[in-house]
């Protein structure tokens, strides 16, 4: 012990205990004890993601996942196509209830974007010969022009793996932007099973829906189903581009009372004073129906989209060139889409308008 320490002890007594307490307090301040480990906290933290996933899947996973398992067995349309084609050839695909059309508006005049369907039918309590009135849509390439539930006419579409037919009435069941999932006969639109009067009709008649889709309809695609399916048949749910849909059924007309260039054409009475644009439509109509009642047009023979020209009537204008000539011009207003120009001239012999060479 140093002299200084000895003298200090003599003055203040033994300070060893006090020094140890001071060192202990300093140590405690410099080295705080670690938190106590809790298994409960770890368990709860780990359980939260699991609970969240269970709740997420319990809502309805099909609303959110349409193809979450990667590639699967692709749908093969060949067998179904053969069955549908066989039914169509033997006229067993549809069972049209024309009485349903009796509730549609009656047209005294059919003109403009309206035309009459070629099929003639009768209604109970009437001796008249009826036709459905079809409306071509305006701006069909620029807007969604049909809604779910609309009844439409189509042309035969051999580019689709399941075709539509021009003598069957179809109903729109999904529109651009809808997600369509069809597998093993179960059809879901935007994650939900399709529920409608049409689906009730299919169930009551024991009709099977075929097709295989897991897709989002693009801006010009619609999903169609036969509106009048025959009992115990196979019916294809068909994704159809808008230019293959030839208009919506909006009313009925009669051969006996309705003024219409188309009825005149179908009944062999083309004696009216029709405009050049009406005659242009009539040439297209004649070509679409395949009747060949009007003179052949060499210019049409070089075109592959006559049906679209008829359908796209809202994109065209008629401007006089002279007393005996009118220009028919299709203007789409879209970059990269060429305009189409035709000329109608008055035939000196018949006073009718014909398409110029």
């Amino acid at each position: 012990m140093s002299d200084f320490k000895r003298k200090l002890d003599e003055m203040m007594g033994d300070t060893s205990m006090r020094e140890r307490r001071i060192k202990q307090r300093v140590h405690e301040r410099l080295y705080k004890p670690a938190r106590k480990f809790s298994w409960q906290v770890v368990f709860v933290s780990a359980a939260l993601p699991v609970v969240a996933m269970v709740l997420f899947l319990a809502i309805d996973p099909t609303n959110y996942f349409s193809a979450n398992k990667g590639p699967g067995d692709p749908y093969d349309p060949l067998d179904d196509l053969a069955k549908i084609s066989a039914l169509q050839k033997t006229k067993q695909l549809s069972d049209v209830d024309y009485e349903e059309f009796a509730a549609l508006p009656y047209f005294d005049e059919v003109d403009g974007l309206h035309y009459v369907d070629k099929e003639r039918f009768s209604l109970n309590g009437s001796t008249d010969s009826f036709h459905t009135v079809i409306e071509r849509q305006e701006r069909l390439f620029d807007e969604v022009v049909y809604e779910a539930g609309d009844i439409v006419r189509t042309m035969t579409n051999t580019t689709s793996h399941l075709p539509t037919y021009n003598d069957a009435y179809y109903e729109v069941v999904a529109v651009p932007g809808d997600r369509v999932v069809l597998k093993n006969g179960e059809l879901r639109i935007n994650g939900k099973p399709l529920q409608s009067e049409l689906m009730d009709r299919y169930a009551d008649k024991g009709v099977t829906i075929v097709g295989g889709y897991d897709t989002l309809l693009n801006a010009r695609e619609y999903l169609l189903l036969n509106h009048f399916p025959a009992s115990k048949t196979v019916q294809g749910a068909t994704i159809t581009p808008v230019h293959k849909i030839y208009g919506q059924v909006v009313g009925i007309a009669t051969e006996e009372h309705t003024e219409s260039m188309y009825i005149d054409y179908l009944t062999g009475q083309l004696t009216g004073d029709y405009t050049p644009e009406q005659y242009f439509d009539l040439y297209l109509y004649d070509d679409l129906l395949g009747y060949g009642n009007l003179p052949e047009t060499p210019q049409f023979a070089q075109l592959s989209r006559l049906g679209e020209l008829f359908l796209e009537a809202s994109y065209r204008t008629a401007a006089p060139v002279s007393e005996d000539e009118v220009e028919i011009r299709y203007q789409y207003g879209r970059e990269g889409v060429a305009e189409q120009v035709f000329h109608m001239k008055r035939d000196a012999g018949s006073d009718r308008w014909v398409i110029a060479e």
Side-chain angles (χ1 to χ4, degrees):
M1 183 180 293
S2 63
D3 291 339
F4 175 78
K5 184 74 168 68
R6 186 182 301 109
K7 292 179 180 180
L8 185 62
D9 287 343
E10 290 175 354
M11 294 175 59
M12 303 183 63
D14 188 6
T15 61
S16 299
M17 185 61 70
R18 185 179 301 172
E19 290 172 2
R20 283 197 297 272
R21 286 198 295 268
I22 292 172
K23 289 180 180 180
Q24 185 177 354
R25 285 197 295 270
V26 171
H27 180 79
E28 289 175 355
R29 291 181 179 178
L30 292 176
Y31 302 95
K32 291 184 178 181
R35 286 186 174 181
K36 191 174 181 179
F37 188 82
S38 175
W39 283 104
Q40 291 89 339
V41 173
V42 173
F43 178 81
V44 171
S45 300
L48 285 175
V50 177
V51 173
M53 181 60 71
V54 170
L55 291 175
F56 179 78
L57 295 176
I59 295 173
D60 186 356
T62 57
N63 288 343
Y64 304 94
F65 303 113
S66 58
N68 59 345
K69 294 183 180 180
D73 295 330
Y75 168 71
D76 186 351
L78 290 181
D79 289 341
D80 292 329
L81 178 59
K83 293 176 185 177
I84 294 172
S85 298
L87 289 168
Q88 173 67 15
K89 288 178 181 178
T90 55
K91 299 186 182 300
Q92 299 180 71
L93 187 67
S94 299
D95 185 14
V96 180
D97 180 11
Y98 286 108
E99 293 300 324
E100 181 179 313
F101 296 139
L104 293 173
Y106 176 82
F107 277 65
D108 291 315
E109 183 178 356
V110 176
D111 197 4
L113 293 179
H114 296 108
Y115 68 98
V116 300
D117 191 86
K118 65 178 181 179
E119 297 296 332
R120 178 189 293 113
F121 60 91
S122 59
L123 294 175
N124 291 335
S126 176
T127 59
D128 290 343
S129 299
F130 289 87
H131 297 261
T132 51
V133 178
I134 314 298
E135 181 180 41
R136 295 170 284 180
Q137 303 301 306
E138 297 184 43
R139 299 178 59 80
L140 73 161
F141 294 127
D142 305 287
E143 300 172 359
V144 177
V145 293
Y146 298 107
E147 299 178 353
D150 288 348
I151 311 303
V152 299
R153 279 298 217 180
T154 70
M155 69 170 293
T156 300
N157 178 13
T158 55
T159 61
S160 171
H161 69 239
L162 293 177
T164 59
Y165 296 98
N166 58 12
D167 56 354
Y169 289 90
Y170 288 88
E171 180 171 330
V172 177
V173 295
V175 301
D178 284 342
R179 175 164 291 282
V180 174
V181 178
L182 174 59
K183 186 176 182 180
N184 298 327
E186 183 182 8
L187 178 59
R188 288 176 173 266
I189 308 297
N190 298 324
K192 299 179 181 179
L194 180 60
Q195 296 180 339
S196 65
E197 292 183 8
L198 181 63
M199 289 297 95
D200 294 340
R201 178 179 296 174
Y202 272 56
D204 293 342
K205 292 193 170 190
V207 177
T208 302
I209 302 174
V210 295
Y213 303 110
D214 186 347
T215 187
L216 190 71
L217 297 182
N218 72 30
R220 298 186 180 95
E221 289 180 334
Y222 295 81
L223 183 68
L224 308 182
L225 277 173
N226 191 345
H227 182 70
F228 294 113
S231 297
K232 307 296 181 181
T233 55
V234 170
Q235 299 287 336
T238 307
I239 293 178
T240 304
V242 69
H243 63 274
K244 298 293 185 181
I245 301 175
Y246 274 62
Q248 179 184 352
V249 179
V250 294
I252 55 176
T254 68
E255 294 180 359
E256 292 78 8
H257 306 289
T258 302
E259 292 187 13
S260 169
M261 170 188 66
Y262 302 103
I263 288 180
D264 292 347
Y265 168 86
L266 293 172
T267 57
Q269 300 176 8
L270 275 177
T271 58
D273 184 18
Y274 312 118
T275 67
E277 196 168 7
Q278 284 179 311
Y279 266 112
F280 187 80
D281 258 349
L282 198 58
Y283 274 95
L284 294 171
Y285 186 78
D286 177 72
D287 190 275
L288 291 178
L289 298 183
Y291 286 165
N293 292 336
L294 298 178
E296 291 187 7
T297 305
Q299 190 172 2
F300 278 3
Q302 302 173 10
L303 299 175
S304 61
R305 54 188 304 271
L306 289 181
E308 285 87 333
L309 293 180
F310 182 71
L311 187 64
E312 297 161 359
S314 69
Y315 289 97
R316 75 183 181 215
T317 57
V321 177
S322 67
E323 287 187 1
D324 297 321
E325 184 175 355
V326 171
E327 177 189 84
I328 304 288
R329 179 181 294 271
Y330 285 83
Q331 294 175 298
Y332 298 93
R334 298 191 306 278
E335 187 175 349
V337 181
E339 295 182 356
Q340 297 250 30
V341 180
F342 302 89
H343 287 86
M344 303 292 293
K345 290 187 176 181
R346 194 189 301 273
D347 179 56
S350 63
D351 208 34
R352 293 183 177 184
W353 292 90
V354 296
I355 300 176
E357 299 296 329

